[in-house]
Amino acid sequence: MSSLRPSGGARPLLRVVPPPGAEATEGDSALFALHDIDVRYGRVPALTHVTLSIHAGERVALIGANGSGKSTLLRVLHGLAPHAAGAFATRVPPQGQAMLFQRPHMLRMSVRNNVALALWLHGVRWRKAQQDAVAALGQVGLAGEAGRNARTLSGGQQQRVALARAWALKPAVLLLDEPTASLDPTAKREVEALIADAAHGRTLVFASHNLGQVKRLASRVIYLEHGRVLADLPVQDFFNGPLPEEARQFVKGELA
């Protein structure tokens, strides 16, 4: 099922295509399809020759060192980072996906209105948006904080507000950029549990440095280095099978 072949004429790429459990039925297609994508910030390459597909229901973890291209890949999927070369296709409209960042932005207003505003911008009447916001906050255990200024919340609470904001939109796809990286251990566990709940029935793509979290949440792992995909495997194969040397060192904690 797996094959070893060159990537960019230099490093090996270990890939399973399509990932187990994600085989498309006849006439079906991927939610996201990238072919030979390049992204540059000025003269600096952020992604180079990235080719991959993501199907409905997958839980995909993006891992790699800082600067490997994880955040840029998420931004490409969300339509925030234009590509300089290659082809990108998606079956997910903008309103069908939500993206969470490592440090969510809270507006200077109540917790309830921070969530309601996202709904209102998607066409929900304001009164209904506020009602739905309170319901979403209840799902993340923050209904009691609805009237509080969102900027006075702890980092973990703000990330839960961001999850409620995404949850309220009922997206088909959740894109998460290291959503627990800046949290204390207790908040990490709480937010990770909420992510696991939110992922049910949805497609999840998330960047993480926490390999334990990757094992718990992901069904597939994509390893990037210097903007290139070096491995793309089911989670069990990634942690228990052969890997390119760079990915093996990263998993062992030996790659800076």
Side-chain angles (χ1 to χ4, degrees), residues 183-195:
L183 306 181
D184 62 61
T186 299
K188 283 180 190 288
R189 290 192 295 270
E190 292 173 347
V191 171
E192 184 182 313
L194 291 170
I195 291 170

Side-chain angles (χ1 to χ4, degrees), residues 3 11 17 19 28 46 58-59 69 78 85 106 129 149 156 172 177 182 190 193 202 204 206 214 219 254:
S3 62
R11 298 176 179 177
V17 181
D28 194 10
E58 286 196 275
R59 301 185 308 280
H78 200 44
M106 295 288 113
N149 186 321
D177 193 0
S182 59
E190 292 173 347
R202 294 184 170 97
L204 175 67
F206 68 101
V214 170
S219 60
E254 296 175 356

Side-chain angles (χ1 to χ4, degrees), residues 216-236:
R216 291 187 291 272
L217 293 180
S219 60
R220 172 184 172 192
V221 180
I222 295 175
Y223 174 80
L224 297 103
E225 184 172 311
H226 300 305
R228 294 180 180 270
V229 174
L230 295 192
D232 183 353
L233 293 166
V235 65
Q236 292 300 324

